[in-house]
């Protein structure tokens, strides 16, 4: 096996044994590292940066960081210090890259070949966006989108629109959104978007803008390339364009984290098959587990605390596995009755893979 790549400096606090370093801007959590305690520790959470990471200096004086609030009746620049007096809420949320599961597409779309580990369940604290908007007189009339802009210094000599991280979501997403300064009980690290991050619960990773420097209510979606052409669900063989759906709300998904093929052969007998399940915008009603590749299913038991509809649930099924090879699969149902599908939705860039068949694992009992 090739030598593991070193952790980049801004992510040196990560547990090197728990992650796969794909590149200096993409780090994945190992499937075997998710554990059974719901929350993903900060030192194991995946990282995905579309641009070089900003310098550590931006988190030197966190409270002084400024964000411009535009498209409200009284637009203003606010510091994190001011935001900390305007409201407080905590949300536990699955943060998941739009491309999580891309590595299972047989077409091998370009981009990081994530399997399951471009996701984690994390706790965010900050001020509700709706409180900030209320304090500034409300959203200006007729504005349909909430647009967040990342605070990276852009590489010189390029059209800013071609590189800037700026994403628009429907204005309704404001209701549960936060401007967050804390993650898992600590000030948000630079790696995860400190000093201030836009959190849009239920929406894929890219919509959760790190080091946010502007939050604007806008009539139209951003014209940044990452919005107009990137992160679109394009038919295989075609390029992204604004007419195609953008990656936004996540949908029901689950996967098994133990046992795994990399654990080696299992002894015959009782095994605990466990994993995680989440519904994106909805809570989880139940999870079924199959030990025969999806021919038959048994209800798993949900375990651990229910941290709300945006969090994931742990599930477990005890099963007797005789000698032989077994294909273990999980299939979740959300509380609106949506069932995790067997197959992925084919698309050019490998987004939104929720296929239970792709996430199945084959274990050997000997
Ligand atoms: N933000 C900013 N500012 N920048 C960048 O680059 N990225 C995205 C988000 N946000 C970015 C941002 C993505 S894309 C993702 S996933 C996320 O983020 C991640 O996170 P973390 O913390 O984990 O790193 Mo895909 O859909």
């Amino acid at each position: 096996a090739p030598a593991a790549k070193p952790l980049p400096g801004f992510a040196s606090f990560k547990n090197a044994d728990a992650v796969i370093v794909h590149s200096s801007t993409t780090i994945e959590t190992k499937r075997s590292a998710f554990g059974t305690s719901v929350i993903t520790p900060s030192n194991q959470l995946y990282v995905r940066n579309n641009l070089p990471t900003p310098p550590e200096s931006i988190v030197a004086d966190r409270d002084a960081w400024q964000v411009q609030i535009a498209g409200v009746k009284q637009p203003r620049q606010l510091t994190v210090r001011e935001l900390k007096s305007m409201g407080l809420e905590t949300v536990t949320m699955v943060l998941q890259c739009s491309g999580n599961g891309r590595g299972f597409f047989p077409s091998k779309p370009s981009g990081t070949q994530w399997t399951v580990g471009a996701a984690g369940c994390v706790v965010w604290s900050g001020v509700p966006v709706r409180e900030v908007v209320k304090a500034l007189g409300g959203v200006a009339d007729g504005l349909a989108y909430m647009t967040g802009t990342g605070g990276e210094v852009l590489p010189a000599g390029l059209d800013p629109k071609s590189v800037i991280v700026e994403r628009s979501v429907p204005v309704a997403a404001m209701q549960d959104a936060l401007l967050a300064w804390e993650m898992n009980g600590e000030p948000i690290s630079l790696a995860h978007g400190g000093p201030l991050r836009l959190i849009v619960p239920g929406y894929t990773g890219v919509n959760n803008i790190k080091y946010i420097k502007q939050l604007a209510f806008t009539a139209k979606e951003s014209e940044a390339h990452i919005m107009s052409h990137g992160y679109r669900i394009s038919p295989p063989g075609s390029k992204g364009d604004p007419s195609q759906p953008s990656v936004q709300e996540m949908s029901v998904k689950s996967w098994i984290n133990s046992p795994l093929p990399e654990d080696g052969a299992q002894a015959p007998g009782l095994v605990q098959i466990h994993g995680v399940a989440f519904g994106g915008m909805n809570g989880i009603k139940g999870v079924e587990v199959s030990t025969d590749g999806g021919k038959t299913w048994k209800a798993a038991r949900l375990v651990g605390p229910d941290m709300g509809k945006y969090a994931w649930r742990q599930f477990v099924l005890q099963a007797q596995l005789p000698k032989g090879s077994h294909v273990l699969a999980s299939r979740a149902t959300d509380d609106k009755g949506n069932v995790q599908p067997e197959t992925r939705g084919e698309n050019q860039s490998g987004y939104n893979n929720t296929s239970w068949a792709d996430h199945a694992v084959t274990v050997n009992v000997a």
Side-chain angles (χ1 to χ4, degrees):
K5 293 195 183 86
L7 285 164
F10 75 90
S12 58
F13 66 97
K14 297 280 169 187
N15 174 354
D17 295 331
V19 299
I20 304 155
V21 180
H22 290 287
S23 74
S24 61
T25 53
T26 48
I27 303 170
E28 176 165 10
T29 310
K30 285 186 184 164
R31 193 166 187 164
S32 56
F34 280 111
T36 54
S37 305
V38 185
I39 300 303
T40 309
S42 307
N43 68 358
Q44 298 187 184
L45 182 64
Y46 83 101
V47 174
R48 190 321 182 213
N49 282 345
N50 299 61
L51 283 174
T53 311
E56 283 288 341
S57 57
I58 74 165
V59 289
D61 185 0
R62 294 163 171 279
D63 284 352
W65 179 263
Q66 300 197 324
V67 58
Q68 177 69 36
I69 315 289
V72 288
K73 301 250 164 74
Q74 297 136 37
R76 269 200 64 180
Q77 183 106 339
L78 291 166
T79 61
V80 170
R81 184 177 292 105
E82 287 168 303
L83 290 171
K84 284 182 174 171
S85 71
M86 296 174 76
L88 181 62
E89 219 163 78
T90 294
V91 66
T92 306
M93 179 192 91
V94 175
L95 180 70
Q96 179 184 222
C97 183
S98 317
N100 198 28
R102 177 184 291 131
F104 298 129
F105 280 68
S107 56
K108 293 283 168 248
S110 70
T112 307
Q113 298 301 301
W114 313 106
T115 61
V116 298
C121 186
V122 273
V123 185
W124 304 96
S125 294
V127 60
V129 169
R130 57 170 199 282
E131 296 292 340
V132 177
V133 166
K134 203 169 126 201
L136 302 187
V139 175
D141 295 336
L143 302 181
Y145 297 95
M146 176 170 79
T147 299
T149 311
E152 287 104 336
V153 174
L154 302 179
L158 295 172
D159 173 6
K161 276 186 188 159
S162 69
V163 283
I164 196 165
V165 177
E166 185 173 271
R167 293 279 306 172
S168 303
V169 296
V171 74
M174 163 180 100
Q175 288 312 319
D176 285 345
L178 298 182
L179 285 169
W181 49 79
E182 202 175 289
M183 188 188 98
N184 288 355
E186 292 166 338
I188 303 178
S189 60
L190 180 67
H192 297 297
L196 190 71
R197 183 170 190 171
L198 177 64
I199 294 301
V200 187
Y203 279 61
T204 64
V206 70
N207 300 293
N208 295 264
I209 303 295
K210 306 188 204 190
Y211 3 90
I212 187 168
K213 71 167 185 199
Q214 177 167 276
L215 183 70
F217 293 89
T218 54
K220 294 197 176 130
E221 288 181 354
S222 166
E223 285 170 1
H225 186 269
I226 195 173
M227 184 74 217
S228 59
H229 292 75
Y231 295 85
R232 295 278 164 176
I233 306 292
S234 347
S238 69
K239 284 194 173 143
D241 75 54
S243 72
Q244 300 153 349
S246 188
V247 291
Q248 293 187 320
E249 299 180 351
M250 295 188 288
S251 52
V252 64
K253 180 169 180 179
S254 70
W255 64 79
I256 289 164
N257 287 323
S258 181
L260 295 174
E262 48 265 47
D263 302 335
Q266 306 279 313
L270 209 52
V271 291
Q272 302 220 93
I273 302 167
H274 65 78
V276 294
F278 55 100
M281 304 300 288
N282 307 315
I284 282 295
K285 184 158 102 195
V287 181
E288 301 157 288
V289 167
S290 173
T291 57
D292 55 12
K295 287 191 206 76
T296 62
W297 297 91
K298 280 195 183 119
R301 190 166 55 88
L302 298 178
V303 286
D306 181 349
M307 308 287 278
K309 67 173 179 174
Y310 296 122
W312 64 30
R313 295 298 311 268
Q314 310 273 159
F315 65 84
V316 66
L317 180 84
Q318 288 191 321
Q320 287 283 352
L321 292 185
K323 278 189 183 168
S325 173
H326 304 275
V327 179
L328 312 181
S330 66
R331 181 172 72 182
T333 302
D334 74 13
D335 60 17
K336 298 275 186 314
N338 300 301
V339 182
Q340 184 179 354
E342 177 170 0
T343 53
R344 73 192 89 82
E346 297 297 343
N347 64 92
Q348 176 63 17
S349 301
Y351 294 131
N352 291 354
N353 190 350
T354 59
S355 153
W356 62 250
D358 280 359
H359 291 77
V361 289
T362 304
V363 297
N364 260 307
V365 176

